Short mmCIF file of all heavy atoms in Angstrom, two decimals:
data_model
loop_
_atom_site.label_atom_id
_atom_site.label_comp_id
_atom_site.label_asym_id
_atom_site.label_seq_id
_atom_site.Cartn_x
_atom_site.Cartn_y
_atom_site.Cartn_z
N MET A 289 118.53 121.25 88.63
CA MET A 289 118.84 120.00 89.31
C MET A 289 118.30 118.81 88.50
O MET A 289 117.16 118.82 88.05
CB MET A 289 118.20 120.01 90.70
CG MET A 289 118.60 118.84 91.55
SD MET A 289 117.74 118.94 93.14
CE MET A 289 116.94 117.36 93.16
N LYS A 290 119.16 117.81 88.31
CA LYS A 290 118.73 116.64 87.54
C LYS A 290 118.07 115.63 88.48
O LYS A 290 118.60 115.28 89.52
CB LYS A 290 119.93 116.00 86.86
CG LYS A 290 119.54 115.02 85.79
CD LYS A 290 120.77 114.48 85.08
CE LYS A 290 120.41 113.53 83.97
NZ LYS A 290 119.40 112.53 84.28
N HIS A 291 116.86 115.21 88.11
CA HIS A 291 116.14 114.25 88.94
C HIS A 291 116.52 112.83 88.58
O HIS A 291 116.76 112.52 87.42
CB HIS A 291 114.63 114.44 88.77
CG HIS A 291 114.14 115.75 89.25
ND1 HIS A 291 113.94 116.02 90.58
CD2 HIS A 291 113.84 116.89 88.59
CE1 HIS A 291 113.52 117.27 90.71
NE2 HIS A 291 113.46 117.81 89.52
N LYS A 292 116.55 111.98 89.59
CA LYS A 292 116.75 110.55 89.35
C LYS A 292 115.38 109.90 89.31
O LYS A 292 114.48 110.29 90.05
CB LYS A 292 117.57 109.93 90.47
CG LYS A 292 119.02 110.37 90.50
CD LYS A 292 119.74 109.66 91.63
CE LYS A 292 121.18 110.10 91.72
NZ LYS A 292 121.84 109.51 92.91
N ILE A 293 115.23 108.92 88.45
CA ILE A 293 113.93 108.24 88.33
C ILE A 293 114.08 106.78 88.73
O ILE A 293 114.96 106.08 88.21
CB ILE A 293 113.40 108.34 86.88
CG1 ILE A 293 113.21 109.81 86.50
CG2 ILE A 293 112.11 107.55 86.73
CD1 ILE A 293 112.90 110.03 85.02
N LEU A 294 113.24 106.36 89.64
CA LEU A 294 113.22 104.96 90.05
C LEU A 294 111.86 104.37 89.71
O LEU A 294 110.82 104.92 90.07
CB LEU A 294 113.46 104.84 91.56
CG LEU A 294 113.38 103.41 92.10
CD1 LEU A 294 114.57 102.59 91.62
CD2 LEU A 294 113.32 103.42 93.62
N ILE A 295 111.90 103.26 88.99
CA ILE A 295 110.66 102.54 88.70
C ILE A 295 110.67 101.26 89.54
O ILE A 295 111.33 100.29 89.18
CB ILE A 295 110.52 102.21 87.20
CG1 ILE A 295 110.51 103.50 86.38
CG2 ILE A 295 109.25 101.42 86.91
CD1 ILE A 295 111.68 103.66 85.48
N ALA A 296 109.99 101.32 90.68
CA ALA A 296 109.90 100.15 91.56
C ALA A 296 108.57 99.47 91.26
O ALA A 296 107.54 100.12 91.26
CB ALA A 296 109.98 100.58 93.01
N TYR A 297 108.63 98.18 90.99
CA TYR A 297 107.40 97.51 90.59
C TYR A 297 107.31 96.12 91.20
O TYR A 297 108.32 95.50 91.53
CB TYR A 297 107.32 97.40 89.05
CG TYR A 297 108.33 96.46 88.46
CD1 TYR A 297 108.01 95.13 88.18
CD2 TYR A 297 109.63 96.89 88.22
CE1 TYR A 297 108.95 94.26 87.66
CE2 TYR A 297 110.58 96.02 87.71
CZ TYR A 297 110.24 94.71 87.43
OH TYR A 297 111.18 93.85 86.94
N PHE A 298 106.08 95.66 91.36
CA PHE A 298 105.82 94.28 91.75
C PHE A 298 104.98 93.65 90.66
O PHE A 298 103.98 94.23 90.23
CB PHE A 298 105.07 94.22 93.08
CG PHE A 298 104.67 92.82 93.44
CD1 PHE A 298 105.58 91.97 94.06
CD2 PHE A 298 103.42 92.33 93.12
CE1 PHE A 298 105.24 90.67 94.37
CE2 PHE A 298 103.06 91.02 93.42
CZ PHE A 298 103.97 90.19 94.05
N SER A 299 105.41 92.50 90.19
CA SER A 299 104.67 91.82 89.13
C SER A 299 104.53 90.35 89.47
O SER A 299 105.52 89.67 89.77
CB SER A 299 105.41 91.99 87.80
OG SER A 299 104.68 91.39 86.76
N HIS A 300 103.32 89.89 89.45
CA HIS A 300 103.08 88.47 89.75
C HIS A 300 103.08 87.64 88.48
O HIS A 300 103.64 86.56 88.42
CB HIS A 300 101.74 88.34 90.49
CG HIS A 300 101.48 86.97 91.04
ND1 HIS A 300 102.41 86.29 91.78
CD2 HIS A 300 100.41 86.16 90.96
CE1 HIS A 300 101.91 85.11 92.13
NE2 HIS A 300 100.70 85.01 91.64
N THR A 301 102.45 88.15 87.44
CA THR A 301 102.32 87.38 86.20
C THR A 301 103.33 87.79 85.12
O THR A 301 103.49 87.09 84.13
CB THR A 301 100.91 87.56 85.58
OG1 THR A 301 100.81 88.91 85.09
CG2 THR A 301 99.82 87.30 86.60
N GLY A 302 103.99 88.95 85.30
CA GLY A 302 104.93 89.42 84.29
C GLY A 302 104.39 90.58 83.48
O GLY A 302 105.14 91.28 82.80
N TYR A 303 103.08 90.82 83.57
CA TYR A 303 102.48 91.90 82.80
C TYR A 303 103.01 93.27 83.24
O TYR A 303 103.45 94.08 82.42
CB TYR A 303 100.95 91.83 82.94
CG TYR A 303 100.21 92.93 82.24
CD1 TYR A 303 100.18 92.98 80.84
CD2 TYR A 303 99.54 93.92 82.95
CE1 TYR A 303 99.51 93.99 80.18
CE2 TYR A 303 98.87 94.93 82.29
CZ TYR A 303 98.85 94.96 80.92
OH TYR A 303 98.18 95.97 80.27
N THR A 304 102.98 93.48 84.57
CA THR A 304 103.46 94.76 85.10
C THR A 304 104.96 94.93 84.85
O THR A 304 105.43 96.05 84.62
CB THR A 304 103.12 94.85 86.59
OG1 THR A 304 101.70 94.83 86.74
CG2 THR A 304 103.64 96.14 87.20
N ALA A 305 105.71 93.81 84.85
CA ALA A 305 107.15 93.88 84.58
C ALA A 305 107.40 94.43 83.18
O ALA A 305 108.30 95.26 82.98
CB ALA A 305 107.77 92.49 84.73
N THR A 306 106.60 93.99 82.21
CA THR A 306 106.75 94.46 80.83
C THR A 306 106.51 95.97 80.76
O THR A 306 107.27 96.70 80.10
CB THR A 306 105.74 93.74 79.91
OG1 THR A 306 105.94 92.34 80.06
CG2 THR A 306 105.93 94.13 78.47
N LEU A 307 105.46 96.42 81.46
CA LEU A 307 105.15 97.85 81.45
C LEU A 307 106.25 98.65 82.15
O LEU A 307 106.63 99.73 81.68
CB LEU A 307 103.80 98.10 82.14
CG LEU A 307 102.57 97.58 81.42
CD1 LEU A 307 101.32 97.83 82.24
CD2 LEU A 307 102.43 98.23 80.04
N ALA A 308 106.77 98.11 83.26
CA ALA A 308 107.82 98.81 84.00
C ALA A 308 109.05 98.99 83.11
O ALA A 308 109.66 100.07 83.09
CB ALA A 308 108.17 98.03 85.26
N LYS A 309 109.41 97.95 82.35
CA LYS A 309 110.57 98.03 81.46
C LYS A 309 110.33 99.07 80.37
O LYS A 309 111.24 99.81 79.99
CB LYS A 309 110.89 96.66 80.85
CG LYS A 309 111.65 95.78 81.84
CD LYS A 309 111.70 94.32 81.41
CE LYS A 309 112.11 93.48 82.63
NZ LYS A 309 111.61 92.11 82.54
N GLU A 310 109.11 99.13 79.88
CA GLU A 310 108.77 100.13 78.86
C GLU A 310 108.92 101.54 79.43
O GLU A 310 109.46 102.44 78.78
CB GLU A 310 107.34 99.90 78.38
CG GLU A 310 107.22 99.93 76.87
CD GLU A 310 105.90 99.35 76.41
OE1 GLU A 310 105.80 98.11 76.26
OE2 GLU A 310 104.97 100.14 76.20
N ILE A 311 108.45 101.72 80.66
CA ILE A 311 108.56 103.03 81.32
C ILE A 311 110.03 103.40 81.52
O ILE A 311 110.44 104.55 81.32
CB ILE A 311 107.79 103.04 82.65
CG1 ILE A 311 106.28 102.93 82.40
CG2 ILE A 311 108.09 104.32 83.45
CD1 ILE A 311 105.44 102.63 83.63
N ALA A 312 110.84 102.38 81.90
CA ALA A 312 112.27 102.64 82.10
C ALA A 312 112.93 103.06 80.78
O ALA A 312 113.76 103.98 80.76
CB ALA A 312 112.95 101.39 82.65
N ASP A 313 112.55 102.41 79.69
CA ASP A 313 113.09 102.76 78.38
C ASP A 313 112.73 104.20 78.00
O ASP A 313 113.54 104.95 77.48
CB ASP A 313 112.56 101.81 77.29
CG ASP A 313 113.25 100.46 77.32
OD1 ASP A 313 114.30 100.35 77.98
OD2 ASP A 313 112.72 99.51 76.71
N LEU A 314 111.48 104.56 78.28
CA LEU A 314 110.99 105.89 77.88
C LEU A 314 111.58 107.00 78.75
O LEU A 314 111.78 108.12 78.28
CB LEU A 314 109.46 105.94 77.99
CG LEU A 314 108.68 105.11 76.95
CD1 LEU A 314 107.21 105.05 77.32
CD2 LEU A 314 108.84 105.73 75.56
N THR A 315 111.84 106.70 80.02
CA THR A 315 112.27 107.75 80.95
C THR A 315 113.76 107.71 81.26
O THR A 315 114.30 108.67 81.81
CB THR A 315 111.52 107.61 82.29
OG1 THR A 315 111.84 106.34 82.87
CG2 THR A 315 110.01 107.73 82.10
N GLY A 316 114.42 106.58 80.94
CA GLY A 316 115.83 106.43 81.32
C GLY A 316 115.98 106.15 82.81
O GLY A 316 117.08 106.28 83.35
N GLY A 317 114.90 105.80 83.47
CA GLY A 317 114.94 105.53 84.90
C GLY A 317 115.53 104.17 85.23
O GLY A 317 115.80 103.36 84.33
N SER A 318 115.75 103.95 86.52
CA SER A 318 116.29 102.67 86.98
C SER A 318 115.15 101.76 87.44
O SER A 318 114.23 102.20 88.11
CB SER A 318 117.23 102.88 88.16
OG SER A 318 118.26 103.76 87.81
N LEU A 319 115.28 100.48 87.07
CA LEU A 319 114.25 99.51 87.43
C LEU A 319 114.59 98.83 88.75
O LEU A 319 115.74 98.49 89.00
CB LEU A 319 114.19 98.42 86.37
CG LEU A 319 113.33 98.61 85.14
CD1 LEU A 319 113.52 97.40 84.21
CD2 LEU A 319 111.88 98.75 85.50
N PHE A 320 113.59 98.64 89.57
CA PHE A 320 113.77 97.83 90.77
C PHE A 320 112.58 96.91 90.92
O PHE A 320 111.44 97.38 91.05
CB PHE A 320 113.94 98.70 92.02
CG PHE A 320 114.07 97.87 93.27
CD1 PHE A 320 115.25 97.21 93.56
CD2 PHE A 320 113.00 97.72 94.14
CE1 PHE A 320 115.38 96.42 94.70
CE2 PHE A 320 113.12 96.93 95.28
CZ PHE A 320 114.30 96.28 95.56
N GLN A 321 112.84 95.62 90.90
CA GLN A 321 111.75 94.66 91.06
C GLN A 321 111.56 94.33 92.54
O GLN A 321 112.49 93.86 93.21
CB GLN A 321 112.04 93.36 90.29
CG GLN A 321 110.88 92.38 90.39
CD GLN A 321 111.12 91.09 89.62
OE1 GLN A 321 112.23 90.82 89.15
NE2 GLN A 321 110.09 90.29 89.48
N ILE A 322 110.37 94.59 93.03
CA ILE A 322 110.02 94.23 94.40
C ILE A 322 109.69 92.74 94.39
O ILE A 322 108.73 92.32 93.72
CB ILE A 322 108.81 95.06 94.89
CG1 ILE A 322 109.14 96.54 94.86
CG2 ILE A 322 108.37 94.61 96.29
CD1 ILE A 322 107.92 97.46 94.99
N GLN A 323 110.55 91.97 95.06
CA GLN A 323 110.40 90.51 95.00
C GLN A 323 110.37 89.94 96.41
O GLN A 323 111.32 90.15 97.18
CB GLN A 323 111.59 89.93 94.25
CG GLN A 323 111.25 88.73 93.44
CD GLN A 323 112.38 88.36 92.47
OE1 GLN A 323 113.48 88.90 92.51
NE2 GLN A 323 112.10 87.43 91.59
N PRO A 324 109.29 89.23 96.76
CA PRO A 324 109.24 88.67 98.10
C PRO A 324 110.25 87.55 98.29
O PRO A 324 110.55 86.83 97.33
CB PRO A 324 107.80 88.12 98.20
CG PRO A 324 107.35 87.93 96.81
CD PRO A 324 108.11 88.91 95.95
N VAL A 325 110.80 87.45 99.48
CA VAL A 325 111.73 86.35 99.78
C VAL A 325 110.99 85.03 99.58
O VAL A 325 111.51 84.10 98.97
CB VAL A 325 112.25 86.48 101.23
CG1 VAL A 325 113.02 85.24 101.65
CG2 VAL A 325 113.13 87.74 101.37
N ASP A 326 109.76 85.00 100.09
CA ASP A 326 108.92 83.82 99.95
C ASP A 326 107.92 84.11 98.82
O ASP A 326 106.94 84.83 99.02
CB ASP A 326 108.20 83.58 101.29
CG ASP A 326 107.29 82.37 101.26
OD1 ASP A 326 107.41 81.56 100.33
OD2 ASP A 326 106.45 82.26 102.17
N ASP A 327 108.18 83.54 97.64
CA ASP A 327 107.34 83.83 96.47
C ASP A 327 105.86 83.51 96.69
O ASP A 327 105.54 82.55 97.40
CB ASP A 327 107.82 83.02 95.27
CG ASP A 327 108.88 83.75 94.47
OD1 ASP A 327 108.91 85.00 94.52
OD2 ASP A 327 109.69 83.07 93.80
N TYR A 328 105.01 84.29 96.06
CA TYR A 328 103.58 83.99 96.10
C TYR A 328 103.30 82.76 95.23
O TYR A 328 104.01 82.53 94.26
CB TYR A 328 102.77 85.20 95.62
CG TYR A 328 102.76 86.30 96.63
CD1 TYR A 328 103.72 87.29 96.61
CD2 TYR A 328 101.83 86.31 97.67
CE1 TYR A 328 103.76 88.28 97.58
CE2 TYR A 328 101.85 87.28 98.64
CZ TYR A 328 102.81 88.27 98.59
OH TYR A 328 102.86 89.22 99.57
N PRO A 329 102.25 82.01 95.60
CA PRO A 329 101.95 80.80 94.81
C PRO A 329 101.54 81.14 93.38
O PRO A 329 101.14 82.27 93.10
CB PRO A 329 100.78 80.17 95.57
CG PRO A 329 100.57 80.96 96.80
CD PRO A 329 101.31 82.24 96.68
N GLU A 330 101.65 80.17 92.50
CA GLU A 330 101.18 80.35 91.12
C GLU A 330 99.66 80.51 91.10
O GLU A 330 99.13 81.32 90.35
CB GLU A 330 101.54 79.12 90.27
CG GLU A 330 103.02 78.96 89.98
CD GLU A 330 103.45 79.77 88.77
OE1 GLU A 330 102.74 79.70 87.73
OE2 GLU A 330 104.47 80.48 88.86
N ASP A 331 99.02 79.74 91.95
CA ASP A 331 97.56 79.68 91.97
C ASP A 331 96.97 81.01 92.45
O ASP A 331 97.35 81.54 93.50
CB ASP A 331 97.11 78.54 92.89
CG ASP A 331 95.59 78.41 92.95
OD1 ASP A 331 95.01 78.02 91.93
OD2 ASP A 331 95.01 78.75 94.01
N TYR A 332 96.02 81.52 91.69
CA TYR A 332 95.45 82.84 91.99
C TYR A 332 94.75 82.86 93.34
O TYR A 332 94.94 83.78 94.13
CB TYR A 332 94.48 83.25 90.87
CG TYR A 332 93.79 84.57 91.16
CD1 TYR A 332 94.49 85.78 91.05
CD2 TYR A 332 92.45 84.61 91.54
CE1 TYR A 332 93.87 86.98 91.33
CE2 TYR A 332 91.83 85.82 91.82
CZ TYR A 332 92.54 87.00 91.71
OH TYR A 332 91.93 88.18 91.99
N ARG A 333 93.92 81.84 93.60
CA ARG A 333 93.14 81.80 94.85
C ARG A 333 94.07 81.71 96.07
O ARG A 333 93.84 82.35 97.09
CB ARG A 333 92.15 80.64 94.85
CG ARG A 333 90.92 80.90 94.01
CD ARG A 333 89.64 80.53 94.75
NE ARG A 333 89.41 81.38 95.92
CZ ARG A 333 88.72 82.51 95.89
NH1 ARG A 333 88.20 82.96 94.77
NH2 ARG A 333 88.55 83.20 96.99
N ALA A 334 95.12 80.90 95.94
CA ALA A 334 96.08 80.76 97.03
C ALA A 334 96.80 82.08 97.29
O ALA A 334 97.04 82.46 98.44
CB ALA A 334 97.08 79.65 96.71
N THR A 335 97.12 82.79 96.22
CA THR A 335 97.76 84.10 96.35
C THR A 335 96.80 85.07 97.04
O THR A 335 97.20 85.82 97.93
CB THR A 335 98.16 84.66 94.96
OG1 THR A 335 99.13 83.79 94.40
CG2 THR A 335 98.73 86.06 95.06
N LEU A 336 95.53 85.01 96.64
CA LEU A 336 94.52 85.89 97.22
C LEU A 336 94.36 85.61 98.72
O LEU A 336 94.28 86.54 99.53
CB LEU A 336 93.19 85.69 96.49
CG LEU A 336 92.15 86.80 96.60
CD1 LEU A 336 92.68 88.09 96.01
CD2 LEU A 336 90.87 86.39 95.90
N ASP A 337 94.33 84.34 99.08
CA ASP A 337 94.20 83.96 100.49
C ASP A 337 95.37 84.52 101.30
O ASP A 337 95.19 85.07 102.39
CB ASP A 337 94.14 82.44 100.65
CG ASP A 337 92.82 81.86 100.18
OD1 ASP A 337 91.86 82.64 100.00
OD2 ASP A 337 92.74 80.64 99.98
N ARG A 338 96.57 84.37 100.77
CA ARG A 338 97.76 84.85 101.49
C ARG A 338 97.72 86.38 101.59
O ARG A 338 98.01 86.95 102.64
CB ARG A 338 99.03 84.40 100.77
CG ARG A 338 100.28 84.84 101.52
CD ARG A 338 101.52 84.21 100.93
NE ARG A 338 102.62 85.15 100.98
CZ ARG A 338 103.80 84.96 100.41
NH1 ARG A 338 104.03 83.86 99.75
NH2 ARG A 338 104.73 85.88 100.48
N TYR A 339 97.36 87.01 100.50
CA TYR A 339 97.25 88.48 100.48
C TYR A 339 96.27 88.97 101.55
O TYR A 339 96.55 89.92 102.28
CB TYR A 339 96.83 88.96 99.09
CG TYR A 339 96.15 90.30 99.11
CD1 TYR A 339 96.90 91.46 99.26
CD2 TYR A 339 94.76 90.40 99.02
CE1 TYR A 339 96.27 92.70 99.32
CE2 TYR A 339 94.14 91.62 99.08
CZ TYR A 339 94.89 92.76 99.23
OH TYR A 339 94.27 93.97 99.31
N LYS A 340 95.11 88.29 101.63
CA LYS A 340 94.08 88.69 102.60
C LYS A 340 94.61 88.58 104.03
O LYS A 340 94.38 89.46 104.85
CB LYS A 340 92.82 87.84 102.44
CG LYS A 340 91.94 88.27 101.28
CD LYS A 340 90.71 87.37 101.21
CE LYS A 340 89.86 87.66 99.99
NZ LYS A 340 88.87 86.60 99.78
N GLU A 341 95.31 87.49 104.30
CA GLU A 341 95.85 87.29 105.63
C GLU A 341 96.92 88.34 105.95
O GLU A 341 96.94 88.93 107.04
CB GLU A 341 96.45 85.88 105.75
CG GLU A 341 96.88 85.55 107.17
CD GLU A 341 97.69 84.27 107.27
OE1 GLU A 341 97.79 83.54 106.27
OE2 GLU A 341 98.22 84.02 108.38
N GLU A 342 97.81 88.59 104.98
CA GLU A 342 98.88 89.56 105.20
C GLU A 342 98.30 90.96 105.45
O GLU A 342 98.80 91.71 106.28
CB GLU A 342 99.82 89.59 103.99
CG GLU A 342 100.68 88.36 103.88
CD GLU A 342 101.50 88.32 102.60
OE1 GLU A 342 101.23 89.13 101.67
OE2 GLU A 342 102.40 87.48 102.52
N THR A 343 97.24 91.27 104.72
CA THR A 343 96.62 92.60 104.86
C THR A 343 95.91 92.71 106.21
O THR A 343 96.08 93.70 106.92
CB THR A 343 95.63 92.84 103.71
OG1 THR A 343 96.33 92.70 102.48
CG2 THR A 343 95.05 94.24 103.77
N ALA A 344 95.16 91.66 106.57
CA ALA A 344 94.40 91.68 107.83
C ALA A 344 95.33 91.80 109.02
O ALA A 344 95.02 92.49 110.00
CB ALA A 344 93.55 90.42 107.93
N LYS A 345 96.49 91.12 108.94
CA LYS A 345 97.43 91.13 110.07
C LYS A 345 98.47 92.24 109.98
O LYS A 345 99.41 92.28 110.77
CB LYS A 345 98.13 89.77 110.16
CG LYS A 345 97.19 88.62 110.52
CD LYS A 345 97.96 87.31 110.62
CE LYS A 345 97.04 86.17 111.01
NZ LYS A 345 97.71 84.86 110.86
N HIS A 346 98.33 93.08 108.98
CA HIS A 346 99.29 94.17 108.74
C HIS A 346 100.72 93.65 108.64
O HIS A 346 101.65 94.27 109.17
CB HIS A 346 99.18 95.25 109.83
CG HIS A 346 97.81 95.83 109.95
ND1 HIS A 346 97.28 96.70 109.00
CD2 HIS A 346 96.85 95.66 110.88
CE1 HIS A 346 96.06 97.03 109.35
NE2 HIS A 346 95.77 96.41 110.49
N LEU A 347 100.88 92.52 107.98
CA LEU A 347 102.21 91.93 107.83
C LEU A 347 102.98 92.68 106.74
O LEU A 347 102.41 93.24 105.82
CB LEU A 347 102.10 90.44 107.47
CG LEU A 347 101.39 89.56 108.49
CD1 LEU A 347 101.30 88.12 107.97
CD2 LEU A 347 102.13 89.59 109.82
N ARG A 348 104.28 92.67 106.87
CA ARG A 348 105.17 93.28 105.88
C ARG A 348 106.18 92.23 105.45
O ARG A 348 107.27 92.15 106.01
CB ARG A 348 105.88 94.51 106.47
CG ARG A 348 104.96 95.69 106.78
CD ARG A 348 104.46 96.34 105.49
NE ARG A 348 103.56 97.46 105.74
CZ ARG A 348 102.24 97.33 105.83
NH1 ARG A 348 101.66 96.15 105.70
NH2 ARG A 348 101.49 98.40 106.04
N PRO A 349 105.79 91.39 104.44
CA PRO A 349 106.66 90.29 104.04
C PRO A 349 108.04 90.79 103.59
O PRO A 349 108.14 91.84 102.93
CB PRO A 349 105.91 89.65 102.87
CG PRO A 349 104.53 90.18 102.92
CD PRO A 349 104.58 91.50 103.61
N ALA A 350 109.06 90.03 103.94
CA ALA A 350 110.43 90.41 103.57
C ALA A 350 110.59 90.39 102.05
O ALA A 350 110.00 89.55 101.36
CB ALA A 350 111.41 89.44 104.21
N VAL A 351 111.36 91.33 101.55
CA VAL A 351 111.65 91.37 100.12
C VAL A 351 113.15 91.21 99.91
O VAL A 351 113.95 91.50 100.80
CB VAL A 351 111.16 92.69 99.46
CG1 VAL A 351 109.64 92.78 99.51
CG2 VAL A 351 111.81 93.90 100.09
N THR A 352 113.50 90.72 98.71
CA THR A 352 114.92 90.56 98.39
C THR A 352 115.46 91.89 97.87
O THR A 352 114.71 92.71 97.36
CB THR A 352 115.12 89.49 97.31
OG1 THR A 352 114.45 89.92 96.12
CG2 THR A 352 114.56 88.15 97.72
N GLY A 353 116.75 92.10 98.01
CA GLY A 353 117.40 93.29 97.48
C GLY A 353 117.02 94.55 98.23
O GLY A 353 116.20 94.53 99.16
N SER A 354 117.65 95.66 97.85
CA SER A 354 117.33 96.95 98.44
C SER A 354 117.65 98.04 97.43
O SER A 354 118.44 97.82 96.51
CB SER A 354 118.11 97.18 99.73
OG SER A 354 119.49 97.19 99.44
N VAL A 355 117.04 99.16 97.60
CA VAL A 355 117.27 100.27 96.66
C VAL A 355 118.42 101.12 97.20
O VAL A 355 118.38 101.55 98.35
CB VAL A 355 116.00 101.14 96.54
CG1 VAL A 355 116.27 102.32 95.59
CG2 VAL A 355 114.83 100.32 96.04
C1 LIG B 924 100.17 89.54 96.46
C2 LIG B 924 100.11 90.84 95.70
C3 LIG B 924 100.37 92.03 96.37
C4 LIG B 924 100.30 93.26 95.69
N1 LIG B 924 100.57 94.41 96.38
C5 LIG B 924 100.50 95.58 95.74
C6 LIG B 924 100.76 96.80 96.44
O1 LIG B 924 101.06 96.81 97.63
N2 LIG B 924 100.66 97.96 95.76
C7 LIG B 924 100.32 97.99 94.43
O2 LIG B 924 100.25 99.07 93.86
N3 LIG B 924 100.08 96.86 93.74
C8 LIG B 924 100.16 95.66 94.36
N4 LIG B 924 99.88 94.52 93.67
C9 LIG B 924 99.54 94.60 92.22
C10 LIG B 924 100.78 94.31 91.39
O3 LIG B 924 101.73 95.34 91.53
C11 LIG B 924 100.41 94.20 89.91
O4 LIG B 924 99.79 95.38 89.50
C12 LIG B 924 99.48 93.04 89.68
O5 LIG B 924 100.06 91.88 90.21
C13 LIG B 924 99.17 92.89 88.16
O6 LIG B 924 100.38 92.80 87.42
P1 LIG B 924 100.98 91.41 86.93
O7 LIG B 924 100.00 90.84 85.94
O8 LIG B 924 102.33 91.70 86.32
O9 LIG B 924 101.14 90.50 88.13
C14 LIG B 924 99.94 93.28 94.32
C15 LIG B 924 99.68 92.07 93.66
C16 LIG B 924 99.76 90.87 94.33
C17 LIG B 924 99.48 89.57 93.56
#
């Protein structure tokens, strides 16, 4: 049986996106970027504050696209 490979990734700065693309090249897998409908701020502290609130409240922010 042939397996399908999905590389689902979230990248805020672009670093993880580069690695995900490299993994896709090496494995022949399909890339899927997990992207929030409401983008995280550029500012690190602001992103951290939002992350903390989302985690504390068990929020599941909407993402664009679907697999
Ligand atoms: C707001 C936010 C939420 C994240 N949530 C997850 C997560 O649920 N699971 C996970 O493995 N990594 C999560 N990460 C880490 C990212 O996938 C990624 O490893 C990190 O942002 C560093 O890569 P980058 O420099 O490309 O942004 C999160 C990062 C941020 C900024």
Side-chain angles (χ1 to χ4, degrees):
M289 187 181 125
K290 194 176 182 315
H291 295 281
K292 290 182 182 175
I293 299 171
L294 177 70
I295 300 115
Y297 68 96
F298 175 83
S299 182
H300 189 49
T301 69
Y303 178 69
T304 297
T306 305
L307 292 177
K309 280 167 197 153
E310 227 165 275
I311 292 167
D313 284 345
L314 290 170
T315 61
S318 303
L319 273 177
F320 177 76
Q321 183 179 10
I322 300 166
Q323 214 167 9
V325 170
D326 180 15
D327 271 334
Y328 286 91
E330 290 275 313
D331 181 69
Y332 177 74
R333 283 227 65 91
T335 297
L336 200 62
D337 287 345
R338 182 171 144 188
Y339 156 77
K340 281 181 186 167
E341 187 190 351
E342 288 174 347
T343 303
K345 294 181 178 169
H346 302 288
L347 299 178
R348 293 289 179 268
V351 294
T352 62
S354 62
V355 179

